[in-house]
Amino acid sequence: MILSCGEALIDMLPRQSTAGEAAFAPYAGGSVFNTAIALGRLGVRAGFLSGISTDLFGAALTETLAASNVDARLAIRSDRPTTLAFVKLVDGHASYAFYDENTAGRMILPDDLPVLPAAVQALFFGGISLPVDPCGGTYEALMAREAASRVTMIDPNIRPGFIRDEAAYRARLARMIALADIVKLSDEDLRWLEGPGEIETLARGLLTRGPKLIFVTEGGTGAHAFSAGLSLFEPAHRVTVVDTVGAGDTFNAGVLAALDRAGRLSKADVAAADAALISACLKLGNAAAAITVSRAGANPPWAEELQ
C-alpha cells in the first residue's frame, strides 16, 4: 500500500447558476487527497491518513475516496468541521482562500497517529497540512517515525498565502526533505525554497541533503528528474488545458505508481534507480497529469485511460 498523509478538504469551485449568478460548487479535494485518489485510480493499492470530520462534508470525502478504491480506515475521525477552500480561477490557474481553523484535519496530534500495518510500503506527504500546526508537526512526526523503514516522498505544493510563520515552515520542510527518499517540486516551488538559479543546480543542492530522487515539474514544458548520477527530462503532452487543479498531485501519483508497477517501491530500489526506471516515472507522471489538466477540477485518470 502507498499511504498518502495530509489534507482532505472541500474545494468550492466557481460556477454559474442557471440564473446566471456567480456560485460555488463543492468538490472533494486537497493536494494530498488528490494524490491518493490518483493512486487508487491508477490501480495501486492506496490508503489515506488524515483528520476527517464526521460532518456532511467529511462523508463526501470518505465516499469519494471509496469510489476511487482508496482505503481510509487509517483516517482519524472527529466531529470538528471540514476545511473549506474557495477557488478563484484566472486563465486556468487557481488561487485559494482557506477556512481551516479548528478543523478535523488541522487539529490532529501525534498521539492520534495509528500503528501502520506492514502492508504500507511508502508514505507520501505534502500540501497545506505542513505549514500549520498542530497537524504539520503531526505529519512530520509520522515521517520521522517511519522514514528509516519505508519509502517516503514529499511534495510541499507551496501556497505562500497560507504560510503564517515562514521561518518555521522552511525549517520543517528542510527536516522533512532530509528524511525523504523522493522530493517533487514545481519550478516555482523550487525557487521559492532555494532562491534563483538553474533548475539542475538547485535540485542537486537538495540531493546533497539526503533525498535520492528529485522531480521538478515545469507546467506545460515538461518534467525533470535528478539522482546523484543522472539527469533526465520528459516533455509535457500537448493538450488543451481546462485548468491546472490537481496536475502536480496527479504527477506525484504517476511517479509512485510507476515504481509500484516495476516492483521497485523500496528504499534500496529508489536509491539505485536507473535511467529506465526514472524515465518510467516521468512518463507516467506526465501522461496522467496531462489528462487531469484537460478537464475541469482535480479529476485524475483511471488506468484504462492511459492505455
Side-chain angles (χ1 to χ4, degrees):
M1 176 186 287
I2 299 173
L3 185 66
S4 298
C5 310
E7 78 274 4
L9 53 84
I10 297 295
D11 281 321
M12 303 298 288
L13 298 182
R15 296 290 184 264
Q16 190 174 73
S17 73
T18 55
E21 301 167 310
F24 287 93
Y27 288 83
S31 64
V32 179
F33 179 93
N34 294 337
T35 294
I37 293 292
L39 283 165
R41 292 184 180 186
L42 289 174
V44 175
R45 186 179 177 193
F48 186 64
L49 193 162
S50 184
I52 298 182
S53 178
T54 55
D55 67 11
L56 77 165
F57 289 130
L61 292 170
T62 54
E63 289 164 7
T64 302
L65 289 165
S68 291
N69 303 318
V70 181
D71 186 340
R73 283 178 292 181
L74 292 172
I76 301 159
R77 306 304 299 267
S78 77
D79 61 2
R80 295 179 181 273
T82 298
T83 300
L84 303 179
F86 285 80
V87 181
K88 180 179 180 180
L89 294 174
V90 178
D91 297 328
H93 293 275
S95 59
Y96 301 82
F98 292 99
Y99 296 83
D100 189 44
E101 293 298 325
N102 296 310
T103 59
R106 177 78 172 267
M107 300 308 293
I108 61 171
L109 299 168
D111 286 348
D112 297 323
L113 292 170
V115 175
L116 301 187
V120 176
Q121 292 179 278
L123 294 91
F124 173 79
F125 298 89
I128 64 165
S129 299
L130 299 183
V132 295
D133 284 312
C135 63
T138 299
Y139 289 118
E140 182 183 354
L142 177 62
M143 189 181 199
R145 191 184 83 183
E146 302 295 338
S149 58
R150 308 179 207 246
V151 172
T152 56
M153 177 177 178
I154 183 171
D155 172 12
N157 197 7
I158 296 163
R159 298 278 185 255
F162 201 70
I163 300 165
R164 296 293 177 266
D165 186 338
E166 184 175 321
Y169 177 52
R170 286 181 177 276
R172 173 166 292 152
L173 289 184
R175 294 189 296 269
M176 294 183 77
I177 286 169
L179 288 170
D181 299 288
I182 306 167
V183 176
K184 179 265 182 175
L185 296 152
S186 69
D187 57 328
E188 292 178 351
D189 288 351
L190 177 63
R191 292 189 173 104
W192 185 92
L193 196 64
E194 295 296 293
E198 295 297 320
I199 285 174
E200 181 163 2
T201 302
L202 299 177
R204 292 206 172 280
L206 289 177
L207 282 170
T208 65
R209 300 172 203 170
K212 302 303 184 288
L213 292 175
I214 306 287
F215 292 91
V216 183
T217 55
E218 281 194 281
T221 302
H224 303 261
F226 305 98
S227 67
L230 294 168
S231 174
L232 290 83
F233 176 77
E234 181 70 24
H237 293 221
R238 301 270 72 85
V239 297
T240 299
V241 176
V242 175
D243 67 49
T244 60
V245 178
D249 311 325
T250 305
F251 180 89
N252 295 331
V255 168
L256 290 166
L259 293 169
D260 183 70
R261 290 178 180 183
R264 305 283 295 278
L265 196 58
S266 72
K267 295 181 75 68
D269 284 327
V270 169
D274 58 14
L277 181 60
I278 297 171
S279 179
C281 293
L282 286 170
K283 288 179 184 297
L284 186 54
N286 277 357
I291 293 177
T292 297
V293 302
S294 72
R295 50 204 190 191
N299 185 7
W302 293 85
E304 53 267 27
E305 295 181 81
L306 293 165
Q307 300 302 322

